[in-house]
Amino acid sequence: MPTVEEWMSEAVALARAAMEIGEVPIGCVVAHEPSGKVIGRGYNRRETDRDPTAHAEILAMREAGGALGHWRLVDCTLVVTLEPCPMCAGAIVNARVPRLVYGCDDPKAGAVRTLYQLCTDNRLNHRVEVTAGVLADECAGLLRDFFRAQRALGKK
């Protein structure tokens, strides 16, 4: 069975692929726990697809749902390089994902533990086990490098 660090390494590779096409470097995998296999992959494609919902997590969950043949990702772990935003945290809860692993916190839009705690809110119909900080320095470094380069180019 792969470790969360191995799954996060794959998410980091996806984040690097996003950066190569000018997207914010966020990558995500959905692992099917019983088999240990990655059944969903995604990286940010908002600019490429001209779609505000084309976040890494959403794309990975869509692929995983297709692989399983249903929308409930009850036997899965979602692994993403950055703390999910409110949209993605809400989708994680709605997909019944039991376990979320993420790299670095997002102080501007984090909805798992930084600004909001959607995944563990007792008022919602589902709660998610959360593990934060896996390969956090590497994940944060990709984002720092990307935005530093964007500022140097006068973008974002």
Side-chain angles (χ1 to χ4, degrees), residues 13-35:
L14 289 165
R16 289 184 196 286
M19 191 161 49
E20 288 175 13
I21 63 169
E23 295 280 356
V24 176
I26 301 169
C28 180
V29 299
V30 176
H32 185 245
E33 285 285 349
S35 68

Side-chain angles (χ1 to χ4, degrees), residues 2 9 26-27 53 60 64 66-67 69 82 86 93 97 125 128 138-140 142:
S9 291
I26 301 169
T53 68
L82 180 67
V93 169
V97 173
N125 64 329
V128 181
E138 187 173 0
C139 295
L142 281 173

Side-chain angles (χ1 to χ4, degrees), residues 140-156:
L142 281 173
L143 290 161
R144 266 193 311 275
D145 293 348
F146 175 80
F147 285 112
R148 184 178 303 122
Q150 293 296 302
R151 284 190 297 276
L153 295 171
K155 298 179 181 179
K156 299 188 183 184

Side-chain angles (χ1 to χ4, degrees), residues 11-70:
V12 167
L14 289 165
R16 289 184 196 286
M19 191 161 49
E20 288 175 13
I21 63 169
E23 295 280 356
V24 176
I26 301 169
C28 180
V29 299
V30 176
H32 185 245
E33 285 285 349
S35 68
K37 293 181 181 176
V38 172
I39 60 168
R41 292 171 178 82
Y43 56 80
N44 269 14
R45 295 184 50 91
R46 291 188 311 170
E47 300 295 334
T48 301
D49 295 352
R50 295 172 183 82
D51 178 355
T53 68
H55 287 205
E57 300 95 322
I58 300 298
L59 299 175
M61 284 190 286
R62 283 181 186 154
E63 187 173 289
L68 294 173
H70 54 84

